[in-house]
Amino acid sequence: MTAIILTISTLSSFICMELASWFIHKYVMHGPLWNIHKTHHQPNEHGIELNDAFAIFFAAIAAALLYTGMGKGNMVMTGAGAGITLYGLIYFILHDIFIHKRIRLFKRTNNPLLNALAEAHRDHHKSRSRSHSTSYGLLLINIKYYKKHYRKRKNT
Ligand SMILES: [Zn+2]
Ligand SMILES: [Zn+2]
């Protein structure tokens, strides 16, 4: 029973994180906190951006949930912390390493799913302004990107 609660809680927390990050990205980061987030929309040479504060903020919430959840034996809380951690890890690998190449680790890929995610995010970055951007989510993107990259692979 404990394992089931932990799994459900982790998965729902992961899904909630994609929905929450879409919402926060669109209405908070491109809204009142644009001054912080804009550092991610401008070219920069130092590798570290003020925008990284958001990742630290979510990591702190995840750590607090994991610490309290495990301390109290609360599987819902532990799962919530695990889901946020898992999302943060996947976000870091996809967004920071694969798409923005902050660490040069991956070569080009023919994987249509990964290329669709990357193109959608590149479209988000086409706009340097606070408004008029697209694709605020990382995993939930317009279906046209998937269709385009799956078609492309079929034709090669
Ligand atoms: Zn943005
Ligand atoms: Zn980005």
Side-chain angles (χ1 to χ4, degrees), residues 13-22 58 81-93 136-140:
S13 154
F14 183 90
I15 294 165
C16 284
M17 274 306 286
E18 172 65 10
L19 301 175
S21 71
W22 177 88
F58 284 113
I84 298 174
T85 306
L86 190 66
Y87 184 82
L89 194 67
I90 290 176
Y91 198 98
F92 181 72
I93 294 170
Y136 291 93
L138 183 72
L139 307 171
L140 287 176

Side-chain angles (χ1 to χ4, degrees), residues 40 95 100 121 125:
H40 182 58
H95 176 260
H100 287 298
H121 192 70
H125 277 277

